[in-house]
Amino acid sequence: GDVVTTAEEVEAFKIVKAIVAGTISAKRVAMRDAKSYCSVLIDDNNRKPLCRLRLDSATKKYLGVFDGDKNEVKFPIASVEDIYEHAEVLRESARQYAE
């Protein structure tokens, strides 16, 4: 099956980019879509994951953010707007790559 990037994923990506723009250059924030989730990477480098958008399920959506040990912590979200509630966690994730 083909990987289809949905409008919702694009919207979520824009929100994430806006949130971390003050922490890291927005130009460095890239999106890479996979089958089960959409990765937001710094420098389009999969060793620099900022977060994962898990929006494909109609019932359960998650924002996955990586801690300092690269473990994914999943936050349930009802809609992409809920990503704003996790702004601080996202900025913390971005800070790891900001230097």
Side-chain angles (χ1 to χ4, degrees):
D2 293 333
V3 173
V4 178
T5 303
T6 63
E8 190 178 40
E9 284 169 339
V10 172
E11 181 67 17
F13 173 64
K14 285 179 179 161
I15 291 172
V16 169
K17 205 151 93 157
I19 287 169
V20 301
T23 306
I24 198 164
S25 164
K27 288 192 194 82
R28 294 180 61 195
V29 184
M31 177 164 82
R32 204 183 285 182
D33 206 351
K35 265 198 189 114
S36 55
Y37 58 83
C38 188
S39 284
V40 180
L41 307 169
I42 303 301
D43 304 328
D44 202 13
N45 181 337
N46 52 17
R47 287 191 304 280
K48 297 183 185 178
L50 178 68
C51 67
R52 278 183 184 158
L53 306 166
R54 300 177 173 275
L55 307 173
D56 290 342
S57 158
T59 46
K60 288 213 186 318
K61 299 180 194 301
Y62 295 96
L63 169 68
V65 183
F66 294 90
D67 65 16
D69 300 317
K70 299 272 195 291
N71 297 313
E72 186 184 0
V73 184
K74 290 182 195 156
F75 300 99
I77 53 175
S79 72
V80 292
E81 283 76 25
D82 289 356
I83 294 170
Y84 285 110
E85 292 169 24
H86 305 288
E88 201 36 59
V89 189
L90 285 165
R91 287 189 196 111
E92 220 164 280
S93 182
R95 242 172 249 132
Q96 303 173 70
Y97 311 112
E99 65 291 319

